[in-house]
Protein backbone atom coordinates (compact mmCIF):
# COMPACT_ATOMS: atom_id res chain seq x y z
CA UNK A 1 0.00 0.00 0.00
CA UNK A 2 1.08 3.54 -0.75
CA UNK A 3 0.01 6.62 1.19
CA UNK A 4 0.78 10.13 -0.06
CA UNK A 5 0.05 12.99 2.31
CA UNK A 6 -0.31 16.55 1.02
CA UNK A 7 0.56 19.05 3.71
CA UNK A 8 2.07 22.46 4.33
CA UNK A 9 4.01 20.96 7.25
CA UNK A 10 5.72 17.74 6.09
CA UNK A 11 8.18 17.88 9.00
CA UNK A 12 5.31 17.19 11.38
CA UNK A 13 5.33 13.62 10.04
CA UNK A 14 9.03 12.92 10.75
CA UNK A 15 8.55 11.54 14.26
CA UNK A 16 5.36 9.73 13.36
CA UNK A 17 6.97 7.88 10.45
CA UNK A 18 10.15 6.99 12.27
CA UNK A 19 8.82 5.17 15.33
CA UNK A 20 7.12 1.96 16.33
CA UNK A 21 4.78 -0.07 14.11
CA UNK A 22 4.52 2.50 11.31
CA UNK A 23 8.33 2.62 11.05
CA UNK A 24 8.52 -1.18 10.98
CA UNK A 25 5.78 -1.40 8.33
CA UNK A 26 7.76 0.99 6.12
CA UNK A 27 11.02 -0.88 6.72
CA UNK A 28 9.34 -4.20 5.90
CA UNK A 29 7.96 -2.66 2.70
CA UNK A 30 4.36 -3.30 3.71
CA UNK A 31 3.61 0.38 3.13
CA UNK A 32 5.31 3.34 1.54
CA UNK A 33 4.35 6.68 3.08
CA UNK A 34 5.42 10.10 1.82
CA UNK A 35 4.57 13.55 3.10
CA UNK A 36 4.65 16.09 0.24
CA UNK A 37 4.87 19.82 0.69
CA UNK A 38 1.91 21.47 -1.06
CA UNK A 39 4.14 24.53 -1.56
CA UNK A 40 6.37 22.51 -3.93
CA UNK A 41 3.45 22.36 -6.36
CA UNK A 42 2.69 26.09 -6.37
CA UNK A 43 3.14 27.79 -9.75
CA UNK A 44 3.38 31.20 -8.08
CA UNK A 45 6.84 32.73 -8.20
CA UNK A 46 6.74 33.26 -4.42
CA UNK A 47 5.42 29.73 -3.87
CA UNK A 48 2.16 31.16 -2.57
CA UNK A 49 -0.42 28.53 -1.51
CA UNK A 50 -3.19 30.60 0.05
CA UNK A 51 -5.07 33.85 -0.42
CA UNK A 52 -7.76 36.03 1.17
CA UNK A 53 -11.38 34.81 0.94
CA UNK A 54 -13.74 36.27 -1.69
CA UNK A 55 -16.45 38.28 0.04
CA UNK A 56 -14.07 39.21 2.85
CA UNK A 57 -13.55 37.64 6.24
CA UNK A 58 -10.74 36.57 8.49
CA UNK A 59 -7.84 34.31 7.59
CA UNK A 60 -6.35 32.82 4.49
CA UNK A 61 -7.80 30.15 2.25
CA UNK A 62 -5.82 27.31 0.60
CA UNK A 63 -5.86 27.80 -3.17
CA UNK A 64 -6.97 25.23 -5.74
CA UNK A 65 -3.94 25.22 -8.05
CA UNK A 66 -1.21 23.66 -5.88
CA UNK A 67 -3.55 20.98 -4.56
CA UNK A 68 -5.14 20.14 -7.93
CA UNK A 69 -1.67 19.83 -9.48
CA UNK A 70 -0.28 17.75 -6.60
CA UNK A 71 -3.19 15.31 -6.77
CA UNK A 72 -2.92 15.18 -10.57
CA UNK A 73 0.75 14.25 -10.42
CA UNK A 74 0.30 11.57 -7.73
CA UNK A 75 -3.00 10.04 -8.77
CA UNK A 76 -3.59 6.77 -10.61
CA UNK A 77 -6.91 5.01 -11.37
CA UNK A 78 -6.54 2.99 -8.14
CA UNK A 79 -6.05 6.02 -5.84
CA UNK A 80 -8.57 7.16 -3.24
CA UNK A 81 -8.31 10.89 -2.60
CA UNK A 82 -9.33 11.85 0.93
CA UNK A 83 -9.79 15.32 2.30
CA UNK A 84 -9.26 15.79 6.04
CA UNK A 85 -11.91 18.21 7.30
CA UNK A 86 -14.15 18.60 10.37
CA UNK A 87 -17.05 18.63 7.90
CA UNK A 88 -16.25 15.08 6.73
CA UNK A 89 -17.80 11.73 7.59
CA UNK A 90 -17.02 10.76 11.21
CA UNK A 91 -14.14 8.28 11.09
CA UNK A 92 -14.50 4.80 12.53
CA UNK A 93 -12.94 1.34 12.57
CA UNK A 94 -15.03 0.12 9.63
CA UNK A 95 -13.65 2.92 7.47
CA UNK A 96 -10.13 2.10 8.64
CA UNK A 97 -10.68 -1.51 7.68
CA UNK A 98 -12.05 -0.60 4.25
CA UNK A 99 -9.21 1.89 3.57
CA UNK A 100 -6.61 -0.71 4.59
CA UNK A 101 -7.60 -2.71 1.51
CA UNK A 102 -6.81 0.16 -0.87
CA UNK A 103 -3.70 0.24 -3.01
CA UNK A 104 -3.14 3.97 -2.81
CA UNK A 105 -4.43 6.73 -0.55
CA UNK A 106 -3.86 10.44 -1.05
CA UNK A 107 -4.64 12.37 2.13
CA UNK A 108 -5.07 16.13 1.79
CA UNK A 109 -4.51 18.16 4.97
CA UNK A 110 -6.40 21.43 5.06
CA UNK A 111 -4.87 24.30 6.97
CA UNK A 112 -5.30 27.88 8.13
CA UNK A 113 -8.87 29.12 7.95
CA UNK A 114 -9.93 26.58 5.36
CA UNK A 115 -9.61 25.62 1.73
CA UNK A 116 -11.24 26.67 -1.51
CA UNK A 117 -14.57 24.85 -1.77
CA UNK A 118 -13.66 23.61 -5.29
CA UNK A 119 -10.96 21.36 -3.78
CA UNK A 120 -13.84 19.15 -2.61
CA UNK A 121 -14.50 18.21 -6.24
CA UNK A 122 -11.28 16.17 -6.49
CA UNK A 123 -11.82 14.20 -3.26
CA UNK A 124 -13.48 10.78 -3.28
CA UNK A 125 -14.19 11.10 0.39
CA UNK A 126 -14.00 13.60 3.28
CA UNK A 127 -13.07 12.42 6.75
CA UNK A 128 -13.48 14.05 10.15
CA UNK A 129 -11.81 12.50 13.18
CA UNK A 130 -14.27 14.09 15.59
CA UNK A 131 -16.49 17.04 16.37
CA UNK A 132 -13.75 19.51 17.20
CA UNK A 133 -11.60 21.79 15.09
CA UNK A 134 -7.84 21.35 14.89
CA UNK A 135 -5.40 23.82 13.38
CA UNK A 136 -4.98 21.53 10.39
CA UNK A 137 -5.48 18.11 8.90
CA UNK A 138 -2.01 16.79 9.81
CA UNK A 139 -2.98 15.08 13.09
CA UNK A 140 -6.15 13.63 11.48
CA UNK A 141 -4.00 12.34 8.56
CA UNK A 142 -1.66 10.67 11.08
CA UNK A 143 -4.62 9.12 12.87
CA UNK A 144 -6.06 7.73 9.63
CA UNK A 145 -2.62 6.51 8.50
CA UNK A 146 -1.89 4.84 11.85
CA UNK A 147 -5.27 3.09 12.07
CA UNK A 148 -5.02 1.94 8.43
CA UNK A 149 -1.39 0.79 8.47
CA UNK A 150 -1.86 -1.52 11.46
CA UNK A 151 -4.62 -3.30 9.51
CA UNK A 152 -2.56 -3.82 6.36
CA UNK A 153 -1.82 -7.52 5.87
CA UNK A 154 1.37 -8.60 7.61
CA UNK A 155 1.91 -5.41 9.64
CA UNK A 156 0.78 -6.82 12.95
CA UNK A 157 -0.32 -10.28 13.93
CA UNK A 158 -3.86 -10.48 12.53
CA UNK A 159 -5.06 -12.07 15.78
CA UNK A 160 -4.18 -8.79 17.52
CA UNK A 161 -6.72 -6.82 15.57
CA UNK A 162 -9.38 -9.46 15.18
CA UNK A 163 -10.46 -8.69 18.74
CA UNK A 164 -9.99 -4.93 18.51
CA UNK A 165 -12.64 -2.71 20.01
CA UNK A 166 -15.26 -1.94 17.33
CA UNK A 167 -14.12 -4.73 14.98
CA UNK A 168 -17.41 -6.52 15.62
CA UNK A 169 -19.24 -3.43 16.89
CA UNK A 170 -18.34 -4.39 20.44
CA UNK A 171 -15.70 -2.93 22.73
CA UNK A 172 -12.72 -5.12 23.54
CA UNK A 173 -12.62 -7.43 26.56
CA UNK A 174 -10.45 -6.54 29.61
CA UNK A 175 -6.85 -7.79 29.58
CA UNK A 176 -4.40 -8.33 32.43
CA UNK A 177 -0.72 -9.18 32.80
CA UNK A 178 1.54 -10.11 35.72
CA UNK A 179 1.37 -9.87 38.72
CA UNK A 180 -1.81 -11.80 39.52
CA UNK A 181 -2.49 -9.57 42.52
CA UNK A 182 -1.66 -5.88 42.33
CA UNK A 183 -2.46 -3.76 45.38
CA UNK A 184 -5.26 -6.16 46.28
CA UNK A 185 -6.73 -6.15 42.78
CA UNK A 186 -6.95 -9.72 41.50
CA UNK A 187 -6.87 -11.04 37.95
CA UNK A 188 -10.20 -12.89 37.34
CA UNK A 189 -9.81 -16.59 38.24
CA UNK A 190 -10.96 -17.82 34.82
CA UNK A 191 -7.96 -16.20 33.11
CA UNK A 192 -5.50 -18.24 35.17
CA UNK A 193 -7.56 -21.43 34.97
CA UNK A 194 -5.91 -22.60 31.74
CA UNK A 195 -9.37 -23.54 30.42
CA UNK A 196 -9.38 -21.92 26.99
CA UNK A 197 -13.01 -22.61 26.25
CA UNK A 198 -14.04 -20.92 29.50
CA UNK A 199 -11.66 -18.02 28.82
CA UNK A 200 -13.18 -17.47 25.37
CA UNK A 201 -16.68 -17.55 26.84
CA UNK A 202 -15.70 -15.06 29.57
CA UNK A 203 -14.11 -12.70 27.03
CA UNK A 204 -17.15 -12.74 24.77
CA UNK A 205 -19.44 -12.01 27.72
CA UNK A 206 -17.17 -9.21 29.00
CA UNK A 207 -17.19 -7.57 25.56
CA UNK A 208 -20.95 -7.39 25.65
CA UNK A 209 -21.04 -6.22 29.27
CA UNK A 210 -18.49 -3.47 28.54
CA UNK A 211 -20.37 -2.33 25.46
CA UNK A 212 -23.70 -2.29 27.25
CA UNK A 213 -22.15 -0.33 30.10
CA UNK A 214 -20.08 2.19 28.17
CA UNK A 215 -21.47 2.38 24.65
CA UNK A 216 -25.01 1.00 24.64
CA UNK A 217 -25.54 3.05 21.45
CA UNK A 218 -23.29 0.58 19.59
CA UNK A 219 -25.73 -2.22 20.31
CA UNK A 220 -29.14 -0.60 20.63
CA UNK A 221 -29.41 0.87 17.18
CA UNK A 222 -27.87 -1.98 15.24
CA UNK A 223 -29.76 -4.46 13.17
CA UNK A 224 -29.01 -7.53 15.22
CA UNK A 225 -26.66 -10.21 16.38
CA UNK A 226 -26.33 -13.78 15.38
CA UNK A 227 -25.69 -15.64 18.59
CA UNK A 228 -24.46 -19.17 18.03
CA UNK A 229 -25.19 -21.57 20.84
CA UNK A 230 -24.16 -25.13 21.47
CA UNK A 231 -27.43 -27.07 21.12
CA UNK A 232 -26.59 -29.53 23.88
CA UNK A 233 -25.12 -27.29 26.57
CA UNK A 234 -26.82 -24.02 25.62
CA UNK A 235 -23.39 -22.42 25.85
CA UNK A 236 -22.79 -19.30 23.76
CA UNK A 237 -20.16 -20.06 21.13
CA UNK A 238 -20.00 -16.77 19.29
CA UNK A 239 -21.71 -13.43 18.94
CA UNK A 240 -21.45 -11.87 15.51
CA UNK A 241 -22.94 -8.60 14.43
CA UNK A 242 -25.05 -8.43 11.32
CA UNK A 243 -24.25 -11.90 10.05
CA UNK A 244 -27.94 -12.55 9.58
CA UNK A 245 -28.16 -12.12 5.83
CA UNK A 246 -29.72 -14.95 3.96
CA UNK A 247 -32.03 -16.34 6.64
CA UNK A 248 -35.30 -17.75 5.32
CA UNK A 249 -38.51 -17.34 7.20
CA UNK A 250 -41.34 -19.78 6.51
CA UNK A 251 -44.66 -17.95 6.84
CA UNK A 252 -47.01 -19.52 9.34
CA UNK A 253 -50.80 -19.87 9.28
CA UNK A 254 -52.33 -17.74 6.57
CA UNK A 255 -49.44 -15.26 6.27
CA UNK A 256 -48.68 -14.62 2.62
CA UNK A 257 -45.28 -14.50 1.02
CA UNK A 258 -45.81 -10.77 0.19
CA UNK A 259 -46.20 -10.06 3.91
CA UNK A 260 -42.54 -10.75 4.44
CA UNK A 261 -40.12 -7.85 4.40
CA UNK A 262 -36.58 -8.39 3.16
CA UNK A 263 -34.89 -10.85 5.48
CA UNK A 264 -31.69 -8.85 5.37
CA UNK A 265 -33.39 -6.02 7.19
CA UNK A 266 -34.88 -8.23 9.85
CA UNK A 267 -33.84 -7.85 13.46
CA UNK A 268 -32.81 -10.95 15.31
CA UNK A 269 -32.57 -10.15 18.96
CA UNK A 270 -31.64 -12.46 21.76
CA UNK A 271 -33.03 -10.51 24.69
CA UNK A 272 -32.46 -13.42 27.04
CA UNK A 273 -28.72 -13.17 26.54
CA UNK A 274 -28.43 -9.46 27.28
CA UNK A 275 -30.78 -10.00 30.20
CA UNK A 276 -28.64 -12.78 31.64
CA UNK A 277 -25.44 -10.79 31.31
CA UNK A 278 -26.95 -7.68 32.88
CA UNK A 279 -28.48 -9.68 35.69
CA UNK A 280 -25.04 -11.02 36.67
CA UNK A 281 -23.64 -7.53 36.67
CA UNK A 282 -26.54 -5.88 38.51
CA UNK A 283 -26.71 -8.63 41.15
CA UNK A 284 -23.01 -8.16 41.87
CA UNK A 285 -23.40 -4.40 42.23
CA UNK A 286 -26.49 -4.82 44.43
CA UNK A 287 -24.59 -7.23 46.72
CA UNK A 288 -21.87 -4.62 47.00
CA UNK A 289 -24.40 -1.89 47.82
CA UNK A 290 -26.07 -4.12 50.44
CA UNK A 291 -22.67 -4.74 52.08
CA UNK A 292 -22.09 -1.01 52.28
CA UNK A 293 -25.62 -0.44 53.52
CA UNK A 294 -25.14 -3.08 56.26
CA UNK A 295 -21.89 -1.48 57.29
CA UNK A 296 -23.69 1.86 57.68
CA UNK A 297 -25.95 0.24 60.29
CA UNK A 298 -22.89 0.20 62.56
CA UNK A 299 -21.95 3.86 62.13
CA UNK A 300 -23.46 7.35 61.93
CA UNK A 301 -20.62 8.66 59.84
CA UNK A 302 -22.03 11.43 57.63
CA UNK A 303 -19.50 11.14 54.79
CA UNK A 304 -19.85 7.38 54.32
CA UNK A 305 -23.64 7.61 54.45
CA UNK A 306 -23.66 10.45 51.90
CA UNK A 307 -21.26 8.52 49.64
CA UNK A 308 -23.39 5.35 49.62
CA UNK A 309 -26.55 7.39 49.12
CA UNK A 310 -24.95 9.15 46.17
CA UNK A 311 -23.80 5.81 44.73
CA UNK A 312 -27.27 4.31 45.00
CA UNK A 313 -28.91 7.37 43.40
CA UNK A 314 -26.39 7.35 40.56
CA UNK A 315 -26.75 3.61 40.05
CA UNK A 316 -30.53 3.95 39.82
CA UNK A 317 -30.04 6.62 37.11
CA UNK A 318 -27.51 4.42 35.33
CA UNK A 319 -29.90 1.46 35.27
CA UNK A 320 -32.75 3.56 33.92
CA UNK A 321 -30.53 5.10 31.23
CA UNK A 322 -28.47 2.11 30.11
CA UNK A 323 -29.97 -1.17 31.20
CA UNK A 324 -33.73 -0.68 31.33
CA UNK A 325 -34.22 -1.73 27.69
CA UNK A 326 -32.34 -4.96 28.25
CA UNK A 327 -33.86 -6.03 31.57
CA UNK A 328 -37.02 -8.01 32.01
CA UNK A 329 -39.74 -5.73 33.43
CA UNK A 330 -40.20 -7.81 36.56
CA UNK A 331 -36.49 -7.89 37.37
CA UNK A 332 -36.05 -4.19 36.52
CA UNK A 333 -38.96 -3.21 38.78
CA UNK A 334 -37.59 -5.34 41.63
CA UNK A 335 -34.14 -3.79 41.37
CA UNK A 336 -35.50 -0.24 41.13
CA UNK A 337 -37.71 -0.95 44.14
CA UNK A 338 -34.74 -2.28 46.14
CA UNK A 339 -32.67 0.75 45.18
CA UNK A 340 -35.63 2.97 46.12
CA UNK A 341 -35.71 1.38 49.59
CA UNK A 342 -31.95 1.83 50.10
CA UNK A 343 -32.17 5.46 48.95
CA UNK A 344 -35.15 6.13 51.18
CA UNK A 345 -33.52 4.55 54.24
CA UNK A 346 -30.30 6.46 53.65
CA UNK A 347 -32.18 9.75 53.24
CA UNK A 348 -33.86 9.12 56.60
CA UNK A 349 -30.47 8.30 58.11
CA UNK A 350 -28.95 11.50 56.67
CA UNK A 351 -31.78 13.55 58.23
CA UNK A 352 -31.18 11.86 61.59
CA UNK A 353 -27.45 12.57 61.36
CA UNK A 354 -28.23 16.26 60.61
CA UNK A 355 -30.66 16.41 63.54
CA UNK A 356 -28.09 14.89 65.90
CA UNK A 357 -25.48 17.32 64.64
CA UNK A 358 -27.79 20.29 65.04
CA UNK A 359 -28.84 19.34 68.54
CA UNK A 360 -25.17 18.85 69.49
CA UNK A 361 -24.39 22.30 68.08
CA UNK A 362 -27.29 24.00 69.84
CA UNK A 363 -26.29 22.11 73.04
CA UNK A 364 -22.86 23.61 72.77
CA UNK A 365 -24.11 27.17 72.15
CA UNK A 366 -26.65 27.02 75.01
N1 LIG B 1 -9.01 19.49 10.29
C1 LIG B 1 -9.27 20.27 11.35
N2 LIG B 1 -10.05 19.66 12.23
C2 LIG B 1 -10.31 18.40 11.73
C3 LIG B 1 -11.06 17.29 12.18
N3 LIG B 1 -11.72 17.30 13.34
N4 LIG B 1 -11.09 16.19 11.41
C4 LIG B 1 -10.43 16.16 10.23
N5 LIG B 1 -9.72 17.18 9.75
C5 LIG B 1 -9.65 18.30 10.48
Amino acid sequence: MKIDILTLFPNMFDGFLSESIVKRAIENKKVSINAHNIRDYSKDKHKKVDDTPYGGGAGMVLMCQPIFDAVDSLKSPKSRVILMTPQGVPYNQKMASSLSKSEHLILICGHYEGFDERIRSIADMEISIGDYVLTGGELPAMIVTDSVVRLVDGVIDSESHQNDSFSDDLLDYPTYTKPQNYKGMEVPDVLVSGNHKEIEKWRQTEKIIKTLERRPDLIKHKKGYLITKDNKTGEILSVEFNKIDGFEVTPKNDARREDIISVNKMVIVKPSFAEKVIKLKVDKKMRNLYDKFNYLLTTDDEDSTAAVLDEAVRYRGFIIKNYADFMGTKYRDTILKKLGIIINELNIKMNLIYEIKESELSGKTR
Side-chain angles (χ1 to χ4, degrees):
M1 164 184 262
K2 195 170 160 224
I3 303 179
D4 287 304
I5 301 161
L6 298 181
T7 167
L8 289 172
F9 304 100
N11 295 342
M12 277 179 77
F13 291 83
D14 291 350
F16 169 65
L17 297 177
S18 58
E19 296 286 348
S20 187
I21 289 169
V22 174
K23 174 190 175 189
R24 215 177 55 213
I26 297 169
E27 281 172 359
N28 293 342
K29 308 227 176 319
K30 301 288 176 201
V31 283
S32 127
I33 308 175
N34 291 297
H36 306 267
N37 196 333
I38 296 172
R39 214 171 280 284
D40 293 343
Y41 293 87
S42 170
K43 289 202 171 119
D44 180 80
K45 65 171 182 286
H46 303 295
K47 294 282 170 204
K48 196 171 149 87
V49 287
D50 54 5
D51 214 327
T52 52
Y54 278 116
M60 300 292 273
V61 177
L62 270 182
M63 298 157 88
C64 289
Q65 179 274 314
I67 295 190
F68 270 66
D69 285 0
V71 170
D72 249 1
S73 78
L74 296 166
K75 204 176 162 173
S76 76
K78 296 239 167 99
S79 312
R80 284 168 98 170
V81 181
I82 300 167
L83 188 59
M84 309 312 303
T85 160
Q87 296 169 11
V89 182
Y91 192 57
N92 62 28
Q93 188 65 20
K94 273 208 181 66
M95 288 155 83
S97 170
S98 149
L99 293 179
S100 71
K101 295 177 181 98
S102 312
E103 270 185 31
H104 183 208
L105 301 177
I106 301 178
L107 308 182
I108 308 174
C109 310
H111 224 276
Y112 300 127
E113 300 300 314
F115 45 80
D116 190 304
E117 187 69 13
R118 290 164 291 190
I119 292 173
R120 294 212 143 96
S121 68
I122 53 168
D124 300 311
M125 184 179 190
E126 297 181 23
I127 288 181
S128 161
I129 57 148
D131 289 343
Y132 40 84
V133 180
L134 300 165
T135 52
E138 282 72 19
L139 288 171
M142 287 184 217
I143 284 170
V144 169
T145 304
D146 188 283
S147 57
V148 165
V149 166
R150 66 188 286 283
L151 296 179
V152 169
D153 269 351
V155 169
I156 54 173
D157 185 2
S158 70
E159 217 183 285
S160 311
H161 56 73
Q162 257 157 27
N163 288 321
D164 278 350
S165 285
F166 312 111
S167 58
D168 50 5
D169 277 279
L170 293 172
L171 301 180
D172 202 359
Y173 53 76
T175 48
Y176 298 84
T177 186
K178 291 180 185 72
Q180 204 168 323
N181 180 321
Y182 186 70
K183 295 190 176 173
M185 293 177 282
E186 291 274 1
V187 172
D189 288 343
V190 63
L191 295 181
V192 289
S193 67
N195 183 336
H196 293 289
K197 223 167 149 195
E198 282 302 310
I199 293 174
E200 200 40 52
K201 215 162 104 185
W202 179 86
R203 286 181 168 160
Q204 201 55 254
T205 309
E206 286 298 313
K207 283 172 87 157
I208 296 175
I209 290 175
K210 256 222 159 91
T211 314
L212 285 167
E213 261 179 7
R214 292 172 178 226
R215 295 290 306 278
D217 56 300
L218 289 175
I219 290 184
K220 264 191 199 171
H221 309 296
K222 298 296 181 191
K223 281 187 193 163
Y225 281 83
L226 173 63
I227 299 177
T228 317
K229 273 189 176 183
D230 184 312
N231 275 347
K232 282 198 197 108
T233 62
E235 176 193 326
I236 288 149
L237 301 172
S238 69
V239 182
E240 291 170 286
F241 166 62
N242 225 1
K243 288 272 172 66
I244 55 177
D245 294 14
F247 274 65
E248 264 289 321
V249 177
T250 320
K252 284 206 172 124
N253 303 327
D254 57 353
R256 285 163 306 154
R257 194 83 216 161
E258 311 85 80
D259 293 336
I260 298 167
I261 317 167
S262 158
V263 174
N264 289 352
K265 292 198 182 109
M266 203 174 79
V267 180
I268 295 182
V269 194
K270 270 273 181 198
S272 58
F273 179 63
E275 244 174 61
K276 202 167 97 185
V277 161
I278 285 177
K279 190 166 179 306
L280 281 173
K281 197 84 182 161
V282 172
D283 284 349
K284 191 170 162 201
K285 175 76 182 181
M286 289 301 288
R287 277 198 300 277
N288 179 274
L289 267 175
Y290 277 133
D291 285 349
K292 289 178 179 165
F293 182 74
N294 284 338
Y295 165 74
L296 290 178
L297 297 176
T298 66
T299 168
D300 283 335
D301 180 58
E302 184 184 341
D303 288 345
S304 334
T305 310
V308 180
L309 174 58
D310 180 58
E311 192 177 338
V313 169
R314 276 190 291 120
Y315 194 55
R316 182 172 59 181
F318 176 83
I319 286 197
I320 293 168
K321 183 165 171 267
N322 297 311
Y323 284 173
D325 288 357
F326 302 100
M327 291 165 98
T329 18
K330 211 164 141 202
Y331 179 61
R332 183 195 59 206
D333 292 349
T334 311
I335 292 296
L336 291 178
K337 210 161 156 187
K338 283 181 178 171
L339 280 168
I341 293 169
I342 293 178
I343 292 166
N344 199 25
E345 290 294 321
L346 292 179
N347 270 322
I348 294 171
K349 192 177 173 92
M350 281 303 283
N351 283 335
L352 277 174
I353 293 172
Y354 288 140
E355 272 173 27
I356 293 167
K357 225 169 145 185
E358 259 175 37
S359 69
E360 277 174 3
L361 275 177
S362 60
K364 269 187 201 148
T365 47
R366 237 183 277 132

